[in-house]
Amino acid sequence: MLDAGFQAKGSQFSSPPRRILVCPDSFKGSLTATAAAESMARGIQQVLPEAEVERLPLADGGEGTLEVLLPTLGGEKKGLWVTGPLGDPVWAEYGVAGELALLELAQVAGLTLVPPERRDPTRTTTYGLGELLRAVCREPIAEIWIGLGGSATVDGGAGMAQALGYRLLDGAGDPIGWGGAELARLARIEPPEQPVWQGKRVRGLCDVQNPLTGPLGAAAVFAPQKGATPSQVQQLEQALQQWAQVVERDLGQAVAGIPGAGAAGGLGAGLVAFLEATLESGIQLLARQLALPERIRRCHLVVTGEGCLDEQSTMGKVVGAVLEQAIQAQKPLLILCGQVTPAARAGLAAQPLPLRVGALCDRIPDVAEAQRQAGHHLEQMTAQELRDFLEQDAGIGRL
């Protein structure tokens, strides 16, 4: 344990940090953001029992957004059964705070709802989101925020549109089915006569800026993560191109190149096309709502993390937003994760602030074991990485 007179030779820390902000994302499949923050806080208190540790779980529009944001908004949770990504019923919750409703796509079409052996984005649907929206629109609300991360789908929001009353028809005038592959058959779109969302502002909270189609689009980048084979990726790319052409012709919305259109398997584009939504960064919106910049300025050390730290982590994700604010405030940053890619580690090593990265996979090679007791392992890693960070010499900026 470090006593109150501790001073690290050549270190950023002339004395132990008294105020520490703990602001992680979820460790997907293992810990919610709230549980991760608690584990990190316990690890910190092993080393610095007198420190003031502020817990601020974060999300970027994906899984956990409702849990993180709703308490700050002062709202309540509601729920209902809707159609899941494979057509099976799933229980989905949403939040209502005054005239604002908060939804998560992950609740109705999340990748965690589909067993690995059944993952197939040519078949999965966002139909349940449309059902959830119909229920939400019966509330006395004026605005709807939809978190787009963590989906199992690449259907461009077509399933959502079908549940909202849009008729998506093939060349014979028959409705197409569910799933991204069906979009290749789309010939015509007929809007509903009385849209249930009319008069309500819709905002899509994205964690990526990818376009709908092309080498950086929804199929090429994200479909493999959702179980698509190389041939299915090509099939989905062609289907989304067909979808974009019909949408532009029948709805007057040119969505293919919009930043964020490729989020959630093209749901970003679907929200714009079918609901006239706006798209924005989920983490930037949450950062404003939760006063993240102000909280970072007040602390002496920032601790964040996520399950897998990769090249995308600094592009519209929680870790990237925290890093940006820590650089602006020149606060030391400790990043803790389950796994880290060499490219992500190299990129972080060049950042202009005292920074350290710790990864569970460096300590526990057995991923299944690390996940089974993720909270305990994260607590112990936090304590050890904090000790090492505080005791570093002039090489504190190295990882």
Side-chain angles (χ1 to χ4, degrees), residues 71-135:
T72 298
L73 298 174
E76 62 174 329
K77 281 185 182 179
K78 300 186 178 185
L80 70 156
W81 289 97
V82 299
T83 301
L86 290 174
D88 305 317
V90 297
W91 179 256
E93 294 184 325
Y94 63 95
V96 177
E99 294 188 336
L100 171 67
L102 179 61
L103 285 63
E104 275 183 26
L105 177 62
Q107 293 264 341
V108 298
L111 192 61
T112 57
L113 299 176
V114 184
E117 67 276 8
R118 298 185 67 193
R119 290 176 182 173
D120 180 357
T122 66
R123 296 176 51 232
T124 46
T125 180
T126 54
Y127 194 91
L129 178 62
E131 294 175 314
L132 193 61
L133 279 164
R134 285 208 314 260

Side-chain angles (χ1 to χ4, degrees), residues 4 8 13 17 139 196 222-223 225 252 262 307 327 332 367 384 387 394 398:
F13 303 100
E139 304 272 358
V196 295
F222 302 117
Q225 303 170 12
I327 290 173
V367 174
Q384 188 57 57
R387 289 190 187 98
R398 296 199 301 268

Side-chain angles (χ1 to χ4, degrees), residues 21-28 31-34 36-37 40 55-69 104 149 205-208 281-288 290 292-293 296 302-327 333-337 348 355:
L21 177 66
V22 176
C23 49
D25 196 353
S26 64
F27 283 53
K28 291 180 176 56
L31 296 167
T32 65
T34 299
M40 291 175 175
R55 299 157 179 82
L56 183 67
L58 293 175
D60 53 25
E63 178 185 357
T65 299
L66 183 63
E67 174 194 15
V68 166
L69 191 53
E104 275 183 26
L205 310 186
C206 304
D207 59 354
V208 298
S281 164
I283 183 55
Q284 293 301 328
L285 183 143
L286 265 73
R288 293 193 302 271
L290 300 173
L292 178 64
I296 287 179
V302 186
V303 183
T304 190
E306 64 175 335
C308 182
L309 191 68
D310 58 22
E311 297 88 311
Q312 292 186 358
S313 296
T314 55
M315 301 168 59
K317 308 286 187 177
V318 165
V319 170
V322 173
L323 172 64
E324 178 184 349
Q325 293 299 326
I327 290 173
L333 177 62
L334 176 59
I335 302 175
L336 304 170
C337 55
L348 289 167
L355 185 150

Side-chain angles (χ1 to χ4, degrees), residues 327-353:
I327 290 173
Q328 290 185 15
Q330 278 302 290
K331 302 293 182 178
L333 177 62
L334 176 59
I335 302 175
L336 304 170
C337 55
Q339 303 177 63
V340 57
T341 66
R345 193 183 289 273
L348 289 167
Q351 297 299 327
L353 82 165

